[in-house]
Amino acid sequence: RVLKPGGCVALLELVTPSSRLVRAFHHLYLWWLTPVVGRIVTGDNNAYNYLPRSIAEFPQAQEVQAILGRIGFRDVSYRPLNLGAIAIYTGLK
């Protein structure tokens, strides 16, 4: 609703890497290290526990591209960064 026709949208998301090797390290980092560091830094036992679940449940790149296309974006593209742990999606309205 707020993007003018011809405007560009860019979405940055944390995602699950497609490479099995990278995914294994990513899993260790997110499910074990991140909650421990969150607990140490904030003193809250539940800090950042939502993050691994949120990333695991987020749609894969092809599905996000299809969704953006269905809601009216064109020239939708996807660019993986950080060994596939980050995705940037762009599209034109």
Side-chain angles (χ1 to χ4, degrees):
R1 292 186 338 199
V2 297
L3 192 62
K4 292 180 182 181
C8 180
V9 67
L11 310 170
L12 183 132
E13 292 291 340
L14 299 174
V15 295
T16 302
S18 58
S19 161
R20 290 177 102 181
L21 180 62
V22 174
R23 193 169 47 244
F25 285 104
H26 187 255
H27 181 84
L28 283 172
Y29 176 79
L30 275 178
W31 288 90
W32 299 99
L33 185 61
T34 301
V36 169
V37 171
R39 193 172 319 129
I40 291 168
V41 171
T42 67
D44 179 358
N45 285 337
N46 293 316
Y48 297 99
N49 284 340
Y50 72 92
L51 191 58
R53 286 188 304 275
S54 176
I55 293 169
E57 293 172 8
F58 195 79
Q60 296 296 315
Q62 297 82 1
E63 188 177 347
V64 173
Q65 287 177 293
I67 291 168
L68 289 171
R70 281 196 305 272
I71 62 173
F73 286 94
R74 58 184 167 75
D75 298 329
V76 176
S77 67
Y78 156 76
R79 182 174 173 201
L81 300 172
N82 199 30
L83 300 175
I86 296 174
I88 295 181
Y89 302 93
T90 57
L92 299 175
K93 189 69 175 168

